Amino acid sequence: MGMPRTFHEAREVLANGGTSVTAMVRAALDLAKEKAHLNIFLELFDRSALAKAAEVDAKVAAGNAGPLAGAIVSIKDNLCYAGHRVSAASRMLDGYVSPYSATVVERLLAADTVIIGRTNCDEFAMGSSNESSAYGPVANPWDPARVPGGSSGGAAASVAAGLCHIALASDTGGSIRQPASFCGVTGFKPTYGRVSRYGLIAFASSFDQIGPLAHDVRDVESVFRVIAGPDVRDNTTSHREAAPTGLPDRLRIGYYAHCLDHAGMDPEIRAHVESQLQRLQDEGHAVEAVDLPMADLFVPAYYILSTAEASSNLARFDGIRYGHRAGGAHGVEEVYRRSRSEGFGPEVQRRIMLGTFVLSAGYHDAYYGQGMRVRRMIRDKTLETLAGHDLILTPTSPVTAFPKGHISDPVSMYLQDIFTVQANLAGIPAISVPTGRHGNGMPFGIQLMAKPFEDERLLAAAGRLFDV
Ligand code: GLN
């Protein structure tokens, strides 16, 4: 038999003796090989996956299996797993084997999931279409001519194509939510500090968060419960108690009228969001238009600050301490220059140059300093809006998955992130739930955001309002 679609279904079948973890893992690996043309996995971990499956089956038989026994998981290629390769989809880290595991990977394994492989993504998680991967683009399982979104395109596609129950990925400016929307799955970015970033290859450290993608909110919740919580190895993780999950019958839901009028907004997505808002109002929720005065600054602030952080984080890949080293280079400068030119693709080089520029002596205050001030204002305004509302609702993306090669101008690609970067700038939790189907056949999602540390409450609300 194949693999049940969701983890909670798999858990039931497993409990009834209807399958084994080994059988599910074999089915998942076979299917992944059959779908190799989608370019979702950069590598399948057959050996360690089957060994772990046997171990979990023994635990199931002995009655002492962990809370996620039966969950088949993929990890984005920027999460470290001891003894396994990890490359951030870059030539820079081609062949690199991680000597240690990310905290999230350790926690998943301790909870008895099986990790079947590492998923393709944009190089160093920079992109919105998965086209910047050094190992080729991922095909959207709904239509292989289209992109799966990015940067976690392989992650979203691995769930959508039924190759695993859960994908673990990272979200710096929308990388979990936008691909979730493009592939018709659920994707959750937790509050900054709820999940340890230890063992995540850093892109922009003050924005990066790790989170799960799955078919439904229930599976997302099960994983979040296991991976969340303080970690001594990441001192930005918080010890703060999670907010209580109790929800009032009548939720206060804010939406940005301004955002629905956005120039690039697909009319069908707009109509769908409006009809969902109407439905929520009819069901007795308080649905209110709220102002969003600084929306035009979201994308610029995000790209100034995230590239600045990236230029610093990626400085370590110099061909000497870390990363690809160019052959036959002479002298330290040539080693740096050639190693970095060969190792990094064009998008990563562009970001490093942008980030280095905004941090440079004469421009620091005009760009980086100003970006930080704008970020603080965006956070303050966002929290102000959330003080009067349980949730903010937006489309996840103004468009559905576009054809490969369709967006070649970097700035147009950056503008794709218009609705998702606010949550990262403000550090708040946000989820994309698959609610719509476009006339072009592609799925799309709605995004819900909530106050910091209301992750569990947000998940409960998403499950209740959208029945996913
Ligand atoms: N698309 C955004 C970017 O390219 C977000 C990427 C991400 O969240 N990792 O920066």
Side-chain angles (χ1 to χ4, degrees), residues 28-314:
L29 292 170
D30 287 348
L31 192 59
K33 281 166 199 155
E34 222 173 88
K35 307 232 171 201
H37 58 281
L38 298 177
N39 205 22
I40 292 172
F41 281 98
L42 291 178
E43 186 183 1
L44 288 167
F45 302 145
D46 301 48
R47 216 146 50 115
S48 58
L50 287 166
K52 179 71 186 179
E55 180 196 318
V56 181
D57 277 328
K59 284 190 180 177
V60 170
N64 61 3
L68 296 182
I72 315 293
V73 179
S74 70
I75 55 174
K76 184 174 177 178
D77 189 36
N78 59 0
L79 291 164
C80 294
Y81 181 3
H84 294 74
R85 294 202 303 180
V86 59
S87 76
S90 180
R91 284 198 203 298
M92 185 51 93
L93 283 169
D94 200 14
Y96 175 73
V97 175
S98 179
Y100 68 102
S101 288
T103 298
V104 288
V105 166
E106 272 182 5
R107 289 185 183 174
L108 283 181
L109 292 171
D112 283 337
T113 65
V114 176
I115 298 174
I116 59 163
R118 57 185 170 104
T119 53
N120 202 346
C121 57
D122 280 298
E123 186 176 2
F124 281 97
M126 297 172 184
S128 303
S129 68
N130 216 123
E131 293 169 292
S132 83
S133 167
Y135 305 100
V138 172
N140 190 311
W142 294 83
D143 175 356
R146 293 177 188 260
V147 303
S151 64
S152 315
S158 71
V159 175
L163 311 184
C164 54
H165 301 126
I166 288 141
L168 209 59
S170 63
D171 188 311
T172 306
S175 276
I176 289 176
R177 293 160 285 152
Q178 183 255 23
S181 179
F182 279 19
C183 292
V185 301
T186 301
F188 175 50
K189 182 204 88 74
T191 300
Y192 185 82
R194 281 302 303 278
V195 177
S196 168
R197 291 175 295 107
Y198 178 78
L200 166 69
I201 296 176
F203 163 8
S205 309
S206 78
F207 295 83
D208 299 340
Q209 266 299 281
I210 296 168
L213 297 97
H215 281 294
D216 56 23
V217 175
R218 213 167 134 190
D219 277 2
V220 162
E221 239 168 358
S222 305
V223 176
F224 179 65
R225 216 171 293 139
V226 165
I227 61 173
D231 176 16
V232 290
R233 294 173 296 185
D234 172 3
N235 63 14
T236 62
T237 52
S238 175
H239 289 262
R240 206 168 125 175
E241 290 276 314
T245 46
L247 291 172
D249 287 342
R250 183 169 193 263
L251 287 163
R252 292 159 308 165
I253 303 166
Y255 71 95
Y256 302 128
H258 178 89
C259 139
L260 294 176
D261 295 333
H262 180 65
M265 191 67 210
D266 181 289
E268 277 190 46
I269 297 182
R270 180 193 167 132
H272 170 81
V273 171
E274 282 169 346
S275 78
Q276 290 290 327
L277 288 168
Q278 188 59 52
R279 170 183 69 84
L280 293 169
Q281 190 161 17
D282 295 345
E283 288 175 4
H285 300 291
V287 176
E288 287 168 21
V290 290
D291 270 355
L292 186 62
M294 285 189 304
D296 292 346
L297 299 178
F298 290 178
V299 170
Y302 169 77
Y303 276 91
I304 285 173
L305 298 174
S306 67
T307 54
E309 293 187 25
S311 73
S312 161
N313 276 324
L314 271 56

